[in-house]
Amino acid sequence: MSIFGFIYQYMDNFAFLILAAIGLAVIFGMMGIINLAHGEFIMLGAYITTLATMAGIPLFISIALSALLVGIYGFIIDRLIISKLYGRTLDSVVATWGISMIMAQGMLIIFGPSIQGVGTPLGSLSIGGENYSVYRILLFVIAIAVLGVIYWVFMHTKFGLQSRATMQSQEIARSLGVNTNKVYSLTFMLGAAFAGLTGGLYAPTMAVSPSFGNSFLMQSFVTVIVGGSNPLIGTFLSGGVLGFVNSALNMIWGTFYGRLGLLIVAIIVIRLIPLGFSGLVEKKLMRGRDA
Amino acid sequence: MNTSKIKLNTENIVGIVMFIGLFVYPLFVSSYQVLNLSYFLSMVFLSMSLALIWGFCGIFSFGQAAFFGIGGYFYAILTMNIGISAFTPVGLIVGVLVGAAIAWVLGYFMFYGGVNDVFVGLITLCLTVVLETFMGQTAGSEWKIGEIGLGGFNGIDGIPTISFGSFMLTGINFYYFILFILLVVYVGLRYLGISKFGYTAIAIRENRERTKLFGYNVPKYQTTIFAIGGGLASLSGILYATWGSYITPSSFGLTAATLPVVLVAAAGRKNITASVIFTIAYYWFSQSLSASGSEYALVILGLGLVLVILFVPEGIVVALFKWIDQLVFSRIRKKPTIKLKEKEKVHGHSIN
Amino acid sequence: MNQLKNSNIFLVLTLLLSLFLAACSSGSSASDGSEEKIKLGVLEDVSGDFSLVGVQKLHGTQLAVEEINENGGLLGKEVEIIAPDTQSDNTRYQEMARKLILDDKVDAIMGAYSSASREAIRPIMEKNEMLYFYNNQYEGGVASKYTFATGAIPEHQIETLVEAMMEEYGSRFYTISADYNFGQISADWFRTIVEERGGEIVNEEFIPLGESQFGSTISRINEAKPDVLVTLLVGQEQSSFYGQWALEGNTDIPMATTVNMVQGYEHLRYEAPALANMYVTATFMEELASENETAKEFVDKFYEKFPDDEYVGMEAEAQYSGVKLWAKAVEQAGTTETDAVIEALESGITYDGPAGPVTIDPATHHAIRDVYLAYSDKEHNITFPRKWEAVEPYWLSTEKGVNLAEKDDFSQYTPID
Amino acid sequence: MDTVLTRSANKVSVKSILELKNLGKYFGGIRAVDGVDLSIREGELHCLIGPNGAGKSTIFKMIMGVYEPSVGSVYFEGKDITKKKNWERADMGLSIKMQIPGVFGELSVYDNMRIATQKHTKLAKMDEEITKLLDLMDVRHLKNEIVNNLSHGQQQWLEIAMSLACKPRLLLLDEPAAGMGPEETEFTAQLVRKLNKEGITILFIDHDMDFVRQIAQKVTVLHFGQKFAEGTISEIESNEEVVQIYLGNG
C-alpha cells in the first residue's frame, strides 16, 4: 500500500471514530449519561437523510436536516424521559436500552427491513493509479470541523461556559444561577444532533436499515472510553490514537485484528488511566483542581 | 432488630410461595413447559450473579455475560473432549470454578488497580465484546481445542447433558436438578445478606472509601465477590449449554451483556428475590410475545422498561414488595417513623 | 408522597398488563378446534437483522399454504401455519423449535435463514424426529435423515459460477467473505473448485460480521488485481461494501457472488452503479419474470397477496417450492406421519416450481434444480446470459458416500474435512 | 465547666503515639500541607485549629491513608505507616470521624454499627457491644431507624460510636460538634472527655473555641499548611499573632 493509501485509510478511520463517538461523548462527558440508544439516533439520522434525498431535497441539505431533526427528537426524549434520570447513570442505561429497542423495532415496523439507499456523491479521485473517494476525504474534513464547532460552542458561548461549570460541579453551577436542567437538556439535544449528523453523513456510504446504528456502537463506545470525559480533547486524542492502531493492524493483518486491537487498547487504557486521555491531559494541564 | 430470624414480610412469603410453586409446577403442566421453565431458571443464575455483585457490593459489571459464555464454552470443550458421560458433573464443577477463577483474576487486575464504578462497567463491556469478536471468527477448521472445533458464529453443538452414572439429567430430572441448585444458591445468597461478609459487601456498596477506614481490605472483598459472581454466571452458562446442547458467541454479545443489567435494575438490584422473580417473568413474557409472532414484541418490552425506570426507579418488584408490606404488614407492626418525629423535636436538628 | 408513588406503581402495572394481554391475545386465539387441521411450523425472522429475507420467506410460506387451502387443503384438511417470530436470535430459534414440536405439535417445520440458526435447531429436529425443511441457499454439506434442503448449494452456485467466470475473465480469484461458517465454508468451496480447474486464489479475506468500513480491504484488492472478485458478504452492515467499492475499487474487475442481489436485492436498494459488473448464480430471482412465464405468474401472485413487499427473492421461491413439495409428499404418503412423508420425499418427488422443476435427490435430501447466471450492468439492469438445467447435488453422495435413503446420517460435511 | 479539673484527671504519658515528620501534601502548585511536624503523646487530648483551608482535614486524611503524602512520613506507635493501606491503619488502632458524616445513610443505625463492629468483635458479643456503644451515645432508641432520617447531631454521634467500635487507640475527630446546638455540644464535650479518660488518645479539629477550651489539653495552630503555634489553650489564646490571624476573625 502506498504512503498516501495509508494516510487515506487513517483519515477514513479517524473520521469514522470521531463522528461515531462525538454525540455519545458529549452526552456521556457532560451529563454522565450512557446513551445506549446512540446507535439508534445515528440510524434515525440516516433514515432522515435518505428519505429527504429521495424526496428530492439536495443531499447536503438533507444531512443538515438530519442533524436538526434528530436534535429536536433528542430534546423531546430528554424532556420526556432522560430529564427524570439526571445524575442516575445506571438507570439511564436501562432507560436508553428500552428506547433503543423501541426505535429499532419501530423503524422496522414503519419502513420495513431496508430502504433504498442514496449513492455516494462527489465521485472519486485517482492518485497513482488508485481511486480515492472524495466524499470520504470530505468526511475527514467534516470530522475536524465538528471538533472545531465543539471547541467554539464550549469555549466561546454562554451555553458552553454554563455547561463547563455544570460539568465541574452541578451544585456550584446551580448556586451561581445556572439553570442546570436547561443545560442538560441542551447538551442532550446537541449530542443527539451530532448523532443525527453522523447518521446523515454515513447514509450515502452504507446500507440503511434499522440495524444501521450497530455499525457504530462498538467504535463509539471504545472511543469514548479511551477518550475520557472531556468530549473535545478526549475524542480528538482517542480518535487519533485508535485510528492509527486500527489502520495499522488492519493493513498488516486484516479487518479482524484491526477491530480486536481497538478493544484491547481500550482495556489497557482503562486499567492504566481510568479517566482516559482527557483525564490524563487535564491532570497535566490543570493541576490543583482536585484539591 | 434481630436479623437472624426470618421476618414476616412480603419478600419472604413470596420467596417461599415461589419455591413451593416451582416444586409442584411439573405436576400440572406438560413436559414442554417444564423444559421451558428449566431454561428460564438457568438464566436466573445469571441475574443472581449480577444482583450479588452489583446489588450487594456495588460493582457494576457488563461482564456477567462473558463469564456465562466462558462457563458454557469451557464445559462444552472439556466434556466433549473427554467424551465420558460420567465426567459431566466434574465438568460442571470445574466449569464453575474456572469461571470464578477468571473473574478473580480480572477482579484482582481491576480492584487492586483502583478501577471502580462505571469504569468496571466499561472494562467488562470491552472484554465481553472482545470475546464475542474473537469467538465469532473461529469458524475456520484451524480453531480447535482437542477434538472440538470452536465453530465460530455457529458455536458448538451437541453439548452433553449432565448425568450421574447412567442417570441422565433430562426433562423433569434436569428441572429438579436446577431447582435444587437454585434453592441452595438462593438460600445461600439470602443468608449472605445477613452474614458478616454480606454486611461488608453492603458497606462497600454504600461507601467504599469509608469502609476501608473501618479496617476492611476492600479490594480483597470486591475481588472475592466478583469471583463468586463469575462462578454463578458461569454456572448459568453451563446449565444453559446443557439445556440447549448448544452455545454460541452471541451469548457474549452486546445484547447479552446488557440484558442482565436491565433485568436486575428493573427488578430492584438490592433484592435477590426480586431479580429471581423478575427474570422468570421477563423470559416468560418475552417468549410469549415472540411466540405470538407479533412484530410489536420488542417495542412493548422497551416501553415496559422505560416506564419501570421512570415510575418505579427502585425496581418494580421491590416497589411491589414495599407496597404490599405497607398495605398488609403495617397494620400488624407499629411504625417506627412516628417515634422518630418525637425525637426530632427534642433535638430540634432534623436534617430535612 | 407515598400515595403518589403507589398510584404510579398501579398505573405502570395496569399498563404492562394490558400491553401483555394485547400482545398475547393474537397468539392464543388459534388453538381451538385445531385437531382437524394440519399444522406447519415456520421459524423465520420477522424482526432483527435478518428480517429482510425472513419476511420474504414467511410470505412465501403464506402464499403456498393459501393456495393449498384454496384447492381443498391437504388430505381434506386445512393447513394452518404457526409462525412465531425468531427475532434473528439463535436461542429464540431453539425455544421456538421446541415449542412448535412439543407444545403446538406441528406436523413439519420449515425455516431458518442463517446457517447458525439452522445448526441451532437441527439437533432438536433430529432428537424429536421432526421433519424439517431448510429452504435456503447455504454452504452445503448437511446430511441428515430429517432435513430436506430445497435451496441452492455449492454444486448449483459455485461450480457453475467458477466455470462461467473462468471462461469469460480468467483464473485469478480474490475472495472476501463474511467471517463465519457460511463464509468460511463457501470460501473453501471456491478454493477447492478454482484450484481443481487450474485457477488460483490470490487472496482470501474474512470480514468480521457487522463490519461496515472496507477501505483497507478495497486497497488490498486493487493492489492484487485479480481477474475475478468473489464477494460472499452477509448482513446489512457488510453490504456497505458495494457502495464503497464503486468509488474506490477497480470496477473493471467483475464481482461474482452467490448471495447478493438474489436475497437482499442490493441492486434495487443501492443507487447504481454500486453493483455494476456483478454476476450471481441464482435458482430464482424476481427479474426471471421477464424470461419465464411461470416465474412471472409466481411474482404476480406474490405481489397480489403482499402488495407492500419490495422484492421476491431466491429464498421466497425456495420456501414456496419447499411447502409445495412437502404438500405433494403428504398427499402421496396419505398421512403426515414423519417416516411415511420422508419415504414419499425419497421417491424422487418433483414439483414444477416457478423457475423450473425442483426434484428431491433421495440420497442427499437436496434439490435438483435449474440454475441461472444473472448479471447486473452499470444501470443495475439484470440479464441472464446463461442457464444450466437440472444441476445435481452430487457432492455428498459421490465424494462422501452419503445415501440417506439407505443409511441414516446426522452430520454436516465440509470440503476440506 | 471547670476545664482545669478535667485536664488534671488525665494521665498523659511521655511516649508519643503519633508522629508526623515534615508531612506535606501538594495539589499541583498548591501546598495544602507544607512540612508539618507534630507529635501526639499517648493519652493526650489534642486539638488542631486554624482558618479554613489551613490543611487540617488534609492532615487527618494523610494520617488515615486516604491521601498519600507528597513528602514526609507518618509514625504510629513508633512504626512508619506512611505506605500502609488505610485498612491496615484501622487494624493498628487508628479510627476517624470524618468532617462530612461518614455514615451509611441508606442503612439503619443498627446496620451501621454492625458494619463497624463486626470486624473487631466476635459475632457472639457483637449485639452486646453495639448496645453498649449506642447507650454511650444516647442513640439506642434509634437503633432501627434509617440513618438519613437522623438529625445531623445524631449522625455525628453515631459515627463516633462507629469509630469507637474499631477499638481505636488514637481517635481522630474532625469537627465533632459542628452544626450542633448548645445542649448537644455540651453532650459531645462530655463524651470526648469521657473517652479520653478511658484511655483513648484523641486528636480533633474544631472551630468552636468554647468547645476547644472545654476539652483540649494542647492545641496546635495551622496556617497556610504550616504549623504556626503550639501550646496549651491559654498559651495559644495569649499569643497575639494567633489571635490576629485566627481567633480575631471570630
Side-chain angles (χ1 to χ4, degrees):
Chain A
M1 195 187 293
S2 66
I3 294 293
F4 190 77
F6 182 76
I7 293 171
Y8 174 77
Q9 291 309 325
Y10 176 73
M11 279 161 51
D12 194 22
N13 273 317
F14 177 82
F16 187 77
L17 291 169
I18 297 284
L19 291 171
I22 195 69
L24 190 70
V26 166
I27 290 170
F28 175 69
M30 313 301 286
M31 306 171 68
I33 281 184
I34 300 175
N35 181 14
L36 283 181
H38 179 63
E40 278 64 35
F41 281 33
I42 294 179
M43 178 266 289
L44 187 63
Y47 268 82
I48 292 170
T49 293
T50 310
L51 292 171
T53 313
M54 288 294 156
I57 299 172
L59 179 66
F60 287 94
I61 295 172
S62 305
I63 292 171
L65 199 65
S66 286
L68 183 73
L69 292 181
V70 177
I72 292 170
Y73 176 79
F75 181 78
I76 295 168
I77 289 287
D78 178 80
R79 287 291 92 200
L80 285 178
I81 299 166
I82 308 295
S83 61
K84 315 282 191 293
L85 305 173
Y86 290 161
R88 284 156 53 191
T89 303
L90 300 178
D91 284 349
S92 68
V93 169
V94 181
T96 51
W97 162 267
I99 295 169
S100 86
M101 276 168 111
I102 298 171
M103 285 177 71
Q105 189 61 22
M107 203 53 103
L108 182 70
I109 292 168
I110 299 168
F111 291 107
S114 176
I115 58 170
Q116 198 188 343
V118 184
T120 313
L122 304 178
S124 55
L125 196 72
S126 195
I127 299 173
E130 286 199 45
N131 296 331
Y132 301 101
S133 161
V134 177
Y135 187 73
R136 291 213 161 235
I137 296 170
L138 181 70
L139 286 180
F140 175 76
V141 177
I142 292 173
I144 299 284
V146 161
L147 291 174
V149 167
I150 289 184
Y151 176 80
W152 178 78
V153 167
F154 285 109
M155 305 311 274
H156 294 284
T157 65
K158 191 175 157 219
F159 164 73
L161 183 72
Q162 290 187 341
S163 68
R164 275 184 296 145
T166 310
M167 188 187 167
Q168 297 261 311
S169 165
Q170 194 200 346
E171 275 158 45
I172 293 172
R174 197 178 287 155
S175 68
L176 292 172
V178 175
N179 182 347
T180 53
N181 279 359
K182 194 176 140 200
V183 169
Y184 280 149
S185 272
L186 290 176
T187 308
F188 197 82
M189 184 173 158
L190 187 69
F194 278 128
L197 176 72
T198 304
L201 286 171
Y202 279 93
T205 72
M206 288 163 60
V208 179
S209 72
S211 63
F212 186 84
N214 294 353
S215 307
F216 295 84
L217 211 53
M218 192 273 279
Q219 283 85 346
S220 63
F221 271 94
V222 168
T223 311
V224 172
I225 288 168
V226 172
S229 63
N230 185 314
L232 183 64
I233 306 171
T235 315
F236 176 69
L237 286 179
S238 120
V241 170
L242 292 174
F244 182 78
V245 169
N246 193 5
S247 318
L249 290 177
N250 204 331
M251 187 183 82
I252 302 166
W253 288 309
T255 323
F256 164 68
Y257 290 94
R259 188 189 279 209
L260 203 62
L262 283 187
L263 291 162
I264 288 169
V265 168
I267 290 174
I268 294 170
V269 166
I270 308 173
R271 176 61 176 78
L272 297 181
I273 32 171
L275 295 178
F277 284 159
S278 68
L280 195 69
V281 170
E282 278 176 2
K283 220 172 168 181
K284 289 256 186 289
L285 285 181
M286 293 169 239
R287 295 182 137 203
R289 186 184 294 150
D290 52 344
Chain B
M1 170 166 64
N2 195 341
T3 43
S4 54
K5 269 188 196 158
I6 295 177
K7 274 186 293 177
L8 186 70
N9 64 14
T10 318
E11 182 192 354
N12 288 323
I13 293 171
V14 168
I16 292 164
V17 169
M18 176 182 77
F19 271 101
I20 294 172
L22 289 174
F23 266 99
V24 298
Y25 181 76
L27 301 176
F28 301 104
V29 298
S30 70
S31 62
Y32 160 72
Q33 274 154 326
V34 173
L35 187 72
N36 210 19
L37 192 59
S38 315
Y39 163 57
F40 301 167
L41 292 187
S42 343
M43 304 311 284
V44 166
F45 293 96
L46 185 59
S47 298
M48 286 201 297
S49 84
L50 188 69
L52 170 69
I53 66 165
W54 186 25
F56 264 127
C57 198
I59 301 167
F60 178 62
S61 161
F62 277 119
Q64 298 317 100
F67 303 120
F68 178 93
I70 287 170
Y73 269 100
F74 186 86
Y75 174 84
I77 292 163
L78 190 70
T79 54
M80 288 168 83
N81 268 309
I82 288 179
I84 306 162
S85 64
F87 183 76
T88 48
V90 182
L92 174 74
I93 293 163
V94 176
V96 171
L97 293 179
V98 164
I102 293 174
W104 191 87
V105 172
L106 179 68
Y108 186 85
F109 169 83
M110 293 190 300
F111 301 123
Y112 280 88
V115 176
N116 270 303
D117 302 321
V118 78
F119 300 105
V120 173
L122 298 177
I123 224 170
T124 47
L125 184 67
C126 285
L127 184 87
T128 311
V129 180
V130 164
L131 281 172
E132 190 205 16
T133 311
F134 179 79
M135 293 310 292
Q137 59 85 52
T138 56
S141 46
E142 70 274 23
W143 293 103
K144 264 189 180 172
I145 295 180
E147 292 296 297
I148 306 305
L150 295 181
F153 186 70
N154 285 18
I156 299 178
D157 233 326
I159 298 169
T161 41
I162 302 161
S163 52
F164 297 97
S166 58
F167 185 70
M168 295 260 284
L169 287 178
T170 51
I172 212 156
N173 297 331
F174 184 56
Y175 175 80
Y176 278 114
F177 177 71
I178 296 182
L179 189 56
F180 175 71
I181 304 182
L182 182 68
L183 184 63
V184 171
V185 172
Y186 174 78
V187 171
L189 290 180
R190 290 300 305 275
Y191 172 73
L192 192 73
I194 55 166
S195 72
K196 189 174 165 181
F197 190 76
Y199 265 86
T200 312
I202 290 168
I204 293 171
R205 174 188 78 201
E206 295 292 317
N207 188 340
R208 200 171 48 239
E209 290 307 317
R210 189 66 181 104
T211 307
K212 287 180 187 168
L213 299 179
F214 288 122
Y216 294 102
N217 184 343
V218 168
K220 191 177 100 187
Y221 280 96
Q222 286 178 306
T223 309
T224 311
I225 290 256
F226 196 64
I228 299 174
L232 275 181
S234 188
L235 172 66
S236 182
I238 295 171
L239 293 175
Y240 168 78
T242 55
W243 172 82
S245 304
Y246 175 69
I247 186 96
T248 70
S250 55
S251 51
F252 299 117
L254 216 51
T255 315
T258 18
L259 185 61
V261 176
V262 169
L263 290 184
V264 170
R269 69 188 168 105
K270 292 177 187 173
N271 189 306
I272 294 285
T273 318
S275 21
V276 173
I277 293 173
F278 193 76
T279 305
I280 297 175
Y282 173 88
Y283 275 94
W284 174 73
F285 182 63
S286 83
Q287 196 187 59
S288 313
L289 284 174
S290 166
S292 74
S294 163
E295 54 182 354
Y296 290 95
L298 296 173
V299 175
I300 292 170
L301 276 179
L303 198 62
L305 289 172
V306 171
L307 289 176
V308 163
I309 216 70
L310 279 184
F311 294 106
V312 275
E314 58 188 327
I316 191 156
V317 181
V318 167
L320 272 177
F321 283 168
K322 281 194 181 163
W323 187 49
I324 300 174
D325 268 346
Q326 264 175 19
L327 218 66
V328 179
F329 296 104
S330 61
R331 281 173 206 157
I332 305 168
R333 241 185 280 137
K334 54 183 185 250
K335 273 189 182 172
T337 32
I338 296 163
K339 231 165 96 189
L340 176 84
K341 291 282 187 287
E342 293 161 6
K343 202 70 205 171
E344 272 176 353
K345 272 175 209 149
V346 174
H347 287 282
H349 257 281
S350 163
I351 217 161
N352 359 326
Chain C
M1 181 62 203
N2 268 333
Q3 207 76 43
L4 185 75
K5 236 182 179 172
N6 287 346
S7 62
N8 274 341
I9 297 169
F10 187 72
L11 191 88
V12 170
L13 275 180
T14 326
L15 237 159
L16 288 177
L17 195 71
S18 55
L19 287 175
F20 177 67
L21 291 176
C24 288
S25 58
S26 60
S28 52
S29 59
S31 55
D32 35 274
S34 53
E35 275 82 357
E36 291 304 306
K37 292 178 182 170
I38 291 178
K39 293 186 196 169
L40 176 64
V42 179
L43 295 171
E44 294 294 352
D45 305 314
V46 178
S47 52
D49 294 346
F50 298 137
S51 51
L52 188 68
V53 180
V55 172
Q56 286 182 44
K57 292 178 71 183
L58 178 64
H59 288 173
T61 327
Q62 287 167 341
L63 180 62
V65 167
E66 189 187 74
E67 287 177 12
I68 291 167
N69 286 336
E70 275 169 7
N71 292 326
L74 266 188
L75 308 173
K77 295 179 195 166
E78 192 187 331
V79 179
E80 182 197 359
I81 296 176
I82 301 177
D85 176 10
T86 40
Q87 298 171 338
S88 307
D89 173 349
N90 295 335
T91 300
R92 204 56 103 193
Y93 267 97
Q94 289 200 315
E95 289 170 42
M96 290 304 141
R98 289 202 161 104
K99 179 180 171 294
L100 289 178
I101 297 169
L102 300 172
D103 204 30
D104 298 320
K105 304 200 163 41
V106 296
D107 296 292
I109 291 179
M110 312 226 162
Y113 169 64
S114 74
S115 304
S117 50
R118 181 200 66 237
E119 288 306 297
I121 57 173
R122 194 164 59 85
I124 298 173
M125 305 296 171
E126 283 157 5
K127 198 169 152 195
N128 294 288
E129 304 182 353
M130 172 57 58
L131 177 61
Y132 169 53
F133 276 72
Y134 179 54
N135 306 309
N136 212 94
Q137 179 273 357
Y138 84 110
E139 71 277 7
V142 170
S144 165
K145 180 179 175 188
Y146 298 102
T147 305
F148 288 82
T150 61
I153 52 170
E155 290 95 315
H156 299 125
Q157 291 187 291
I158 301 182
E159 298 213 350
T160 48
L161 188 62
V162 170
E163 180 189 314
M165 299 311 283
M166 277 179 119
E167 278 174 18
E168 190 80 18
Y169 294 98
S171 59
R172 298 177 68 252
F173 284 66
Y174 192 117
T175 59
I176 54 171
S177 43
D179 195 357
Y180 80 117
N181 304 54
F182 164 76
Q184 291 262 4
I185 295 174
S186 299
D188 286 346
W189 272 110
F190 268 98
R191 184 158 11 89
T192 313
I193 294 168
V194 166
E195 283 167 5
E196 250 174 36
R197 290 167 184 261
E200 179 198 358
I201 299 284
V202 292
N203 195 9
E204 217 169 37
E205 247 187 82
F206 296 102
I207 314 289
L209 288 172
E211 182 62 51
S212 63
Q213 304 301 312
F214 291 90
S216 59
T217 300
I218 289 173
S219 74
R220 270 192 289 272
I221 300 168
N222 285 340
E223 223 165 281
K225 296 192 177 64
D227 296 327
V228 179
L229 171 64
V230 177
T231 60
L232 299 163
L233 301 174
V234 172
Q236 299 278 7
E237 289 91 354
Q238 289 197 347
S239 57
S240 303
F241 170 81
Y242 304 102
Q244 295 168 29
W245 171 252
L247 278 179
E248 298 168 25
N250 179 356
T251 43
D252 291 339
I253 301 170
M255 290 187 280
T257 182
T258 61
V259 281
N260 294 118
M261 304 202 288
V262 287
Q263 291 186 337
Y265 51 102
E266 287 84 352
H267 57 298
L268 299 183
R269 286 164 45 219
Y270 296 109
E271 206 169 280
L275 282 97
N277 209 9
M278 175 181 268
Y279 288 90
V280 59
T281 34
T283 48
F284 180 83
M285 63 193 291
E286 185 181 293
E287 287 77 3
L288 271 177
S290 62
E291 302 258 312
N292 181 323
E293 203 42 51
T294 50
K296 184 172 186 321
E297 207 176 294
F298 172 67
V299 171
D300 289 345
K301 276 190 298 193
F302 200 97
Y303 281 121
E304 196 181 314
K305 187 164 165 63
F306 304 104
D308 292 335
D309 279 19
E310 281 166 7
Y311 195 71
V312 188
M314 183 159 85
E315 313 314 349
E317 183 275 340
Q319 186 95 335
Y320 175 87
S321 296
V323 176
K324 289 296 180 76
L325 266 171
W326 165 73
K328 204 167 173 186
V330 169
E331 289 287 1
Q332 190 176 319
T335 168
T336 54
E337 201 263 315
T338 305
D339 283 334
V341 179
I342 289 178
E343 202 176 304
L345 284 162
E346 283 174 351
S347 69
I349 202 162
T350 254
Y351 164 72
D352 275 325
V358 183
T359 311
I360 294 292
D361 170 41
T364 63
H365 288 189
H366 286 70
I368 301 166
R369 317 192 47 137
D370 294 352
V371 177
Y372 301 83
L373 182 69
Y375 174 71
S376 164
D377 68 11
K378 276 207 162 62
E379 275 79 48
H380 286 185
N381 292 320
I382 303 291
T383 50
F384 297 93
R386 197 162 167 183
K387 180 184 176 187
W388 293 264
E389 269 176 31
V391 180
E392 295 205 22
Y394 69 89
W395 181 76
L396 274 174
S397 47
T398 55
E399 299 283 318
K400 296 289 165 185
V402 170
N403 188 349
L404 290 167
E406 307 278 314
K407 185 171 138 281
D408 293 350
D409 200 333
F410 302 99
S411 25
Q412 180 172 16
Y413 297 92
T414 58
I416 52 164
D417 277 338
Chain D
M1 176 61 59
D2 186 357
T3 49
V4 182
L5 205 136
T6 14
R7 243 177 254 163
S8 65
N10 289 306
K11 273 179 257 156
V12 177
S13 104
V14 283
K15 209 174 107 198
S16 77
I17 190 166
L18 179 82
E19 254 182 286
L20 310 181
K21 289 186 179 160
N22 188 31
L23 196 65
K25 179 70 186 172
Y26 314 144
F27 294 108
I30 299 164
R31 300 195 162 196
V33 176
D34 192 7
V36 168
D37 289 300
L38 187 68
S39 176
I40 310 293
R41 281 180 292 172
E42 213 171 302
E44 211 170 34
L45 229 177
H46 196 124
C47 181
L48 282 182
I49 62 170
N52 274 334
K56 305 178 300 281
S57 292
T58 311
I59 288 183
F60 267 31
K61 284 181 177 161
M62 283 193 282
I63 296 172
M64 285 311 294
V66 177
Y67 288 164
E68 202 183 316
S70 308
V71 293
S73 37
V74 181
Y75 290 85
F76 182 68
E77 298 188 317
K79 274 172 278 189
D80 185 351
I81 59 164
T82 319
K83 297 277 169 214
K84 287 248 187 289
K85 300 281 185 197
N86 14 25
W87 54 86
E88 291 170 320
R89 298 178 200 221
D91 280 347
M92 292 172 82
L94 270 162
S95 195
I96 187 171
K97 186 211 85 70
M98 327 250 309
Q99 186 180 9
I100 301 156
V103 288
F104 303 102
E106 308 265 303
L107 307 180
S108 71
V109 169
Y110 174 86
D111 289 349
N112 268 268
M113 285 307 295
R114 180 165 170 183
I115 288 164
T117 311
Q118 64 174 14
K119 180 75 182 14
H120 311 273
T121 307
K122 284 211 176 86
L123 227 49
K125 289 198 166 172
M126 194 177 62
D127 277 359
E128 194 186 317
E129 172 85 6
I130 291 175
T131 311
K132 196 184 89 192
L133 285 168
L134 290 178
D135 274 343
L136 186 66
M137 301 296 138
D138 193 25
V139 285
R140 186 175 170 186
H141 56 281
L142 299 172
K143 199 172 157 188
N144 292 334
E145 197 47 62
I146 297 297
V147 170
N148 275 341
N149 295 341
L150 263 49
S151 74
H152 193 62
Q154 288 166 334
Q155 293 192 10
Q156 306 245 48
W157 292 328
L158 173 63
E159 195 180 358
I160 295 175
M162 287 164 77
S163 45
L164 285 174
C166 300
K167 310 212 157 124
R169 282 200 298 289
L170 173 63
L171 181 60
L172 307 175
L173 301 174
D174 198 339
E175 304 196 12
M180 288 185 180
E183 259 179 82
E184 291 171 314
T185 309
E186 172 59 28
F187 178 83
T188 310
Q190 277 178 19
L191 181 74
V192 172
R193 280 197 301 267
K194 192 165 151 197
L195 294 173
N196 184 239
K197 252 185 268 175
E198 282 173 13
I200 302 170
T201 314
I202 294 175
L203 174 61
F204 71 102
I205 295 173
D206 218 297
H207 284 291
D208 180 355
M209 280 317 287
D210 289 334
F211 183 77
V212 174
R213 218 171 282 126
Q214 275 185 50
I215 57 174
Q217 294 157 343
K218 207 169 175 190
V219 177
T220 300
V221 184
L222 289 176
H223 189 50
F224 285 128
Q226 288 176 324
K227 191 156 93 178
F228 191 76
E230 192 172 43
T232 62
I233 182 81
S234 47
E235 281 166 9
I236 293 298
E237 281 185 310
S238 57
N239 183 324
E240 301 256 317
E241 283 178 293
V242 172
V243 172
Q244 219 170 357
I245 65 146
Y246 180 61
L247 301 171
N249 304 344

